[in-house]
Amino acid sequence: MRNSVSIFFFVLMVPAVLLGSTRQAQAQAQAQAQAQAQAQAQAQAQADPYPAMAPLDQYLIPDENAEIALARSAAPASISDDATVMVLGRQGYTTAVQGKNGFLCYVERSWAHYTDHPEFWNPKARTPNCFNAAAASSVTPLYLMKSRLVLAGKSKAEIAQAIAAALDSGKLPALAPGSMCYMMSREQYINDQAHGWHPHVMFYAAGDVAKSWGANLPGSPVFAGPYDPQSRLTTFIVVVNHWSDGTPGPPMEH
């Protein structure tokens, strides 16, 4: 009789134990799936932190005088005080101050990057630039065109297509010899990694030609940004010791 009772209880308990084990296994599998989904979401967010354009107001500077001052901070006052200054509005860039020395200053936004750049839509980017006359006539038209396309609501693919077509047709000019730019503002925010980085000046060359300058080699004072196949330019960078206001820049890492 006792054996029969034991067998009876054993038969009753086995399904309950199996059910409990199954539920535990399901809970563990669900937790693992959730953890994997979160990891994938985090990886995707890191790879593409700005998947779409933010509301336009986040890219604008409401105070025009503040934007003019920020643009001028790109270069020493001896250059920028007499430069033309452009500011960004809802329809694109317009001239706020007409200069007289051939230089052009404005604050670039994140879409200055090539369209595949992960921070193409970063609304925090504020990069004051001051271009000499050669660059103002041949480098800035591409950025200004890209700005108009962005504000017209074009997709990244449409922007890249339009830029390529304009370069191929000659609607956008070829690079003028001697094109260069100052980026010496203490207030610059280049991207989420570099932030302000270092005060520097930039020189432009057509094509993928970093090696011809010895850029990025050990001991070389010349850096080159990644070749931009959309603008078809190489940007060479020379770090300087001081910001445009005369204060010391951060030491270079070795």
Side-chain angles (χ1 to χ4, degrees):
M1 180 68 179
R2 288 179 180 174
N3 289 339
S4 299
V5 171
S6 298
I7 291 170
F8 176 73
F9 276 107
F10 178 76
V11 171
L12 289 177
M13 289 299 294
V14 167
V17 171
L18 290 174
L19 180 61
S21 298
T22 301
R23 287 177 175 171
Q24 184 178 9
Q26 289 174 338
Q28 288 176 344
Q30 185 177 12
Q32 288 176 347
Q34 289 176 342
Q36 289 176 348
Q38 289 175 349
Q40 290 175 349
Q42 289 174 350
Q44 178 64 27
Q46 290 174 353
D48 192 11
Y50 304 98
M53 186 177 181
L56 178 56
D57 284 343
Q58 294 186 30
Y59 299 93
L60 300 178
I61 299 175
D63 184 343
E64 182 177 285
N65 289 328
E67 183 159 1
I68 292 170
L70 181 59
R72 281 181 165 156
S73 71
S78 58
I79 296 168
S80 61
D81 279 356
D82 288 330
T84 294
V85 181
M86 300 185 79
V87 297
L88 179 64
R90 294 186 175 275
Q91 306 302 318
Y93 281 85
T94 56
T95 299
V97 179
Q98 185 61 53
K100 56 186 179 181
N101 65 358
F103 280 82
L104 170 63
C105 304
Y106 57 75
V107 182
E108 282 186 346
R109 301 322 198 259
S110 55
W111 51 81
H113 295 299
Y114 53 91
T115 52
D116 289 337
H117 194 285
E119 295 192 36
F120 185 81
W121 294 124
N122 184 353
K124 298 190 293 293
R126 299 284 188 276
T127 312
N129 288 258
C130 203
F131 300 87
N132 71 349
S137 67
S138 62
V139 176
T140 64
L142 187 150
Y143 173 74
L144 297 177
M145 177 181 177
K146 191 186 288 188
S147 298
R148 291 191 295 271
L149 293 167
V150 164
L151 298 178
K154 302 299 183 181
S155 68
K156 288 183 178 182
E158 289 172 324
I159 293 168
Q161 252 181 353
I163 294 297
L167 286 169
D168 290 340
S169 67
K171 181 179 178 181
L172 285 173
L175 179 69
S179 293
M180 60 83 64
C181 175
Y182 290 87
M183 276 183 63
M184 297 175 59
S185 175
R186 290 186 66 188
E187 307 302 319
Q188 64 191 10
Y189 190 100
I190 300 171
N191 57 49
D192 289 344
Q193 286 73 45
H195 293 266
W197 198 55
H198 296 271
H200 57 280
V201 293
M202 302 185 297
F203 304 88
Y204 301 97
D208 187 359
V209 294
K211 290 182 179 179
S212 69
W213 283 47
N216 302 331
L217 294 178
S220 173
V222 180
F223 298 89
Y227 173 64
D228 182 352
Q230 290 177 353
S231 69
R232 306 174 187 176
L233 299 177
T234 296
T235 302
F236 293 101
I237 301 164
V238 178
V239 172
V240 297
N241 293 327
H242 293 82
W243 299 110
S244 63
D245 62 4
T247 55
M252 285 293 295
E253 302 83 0
H254 295 286

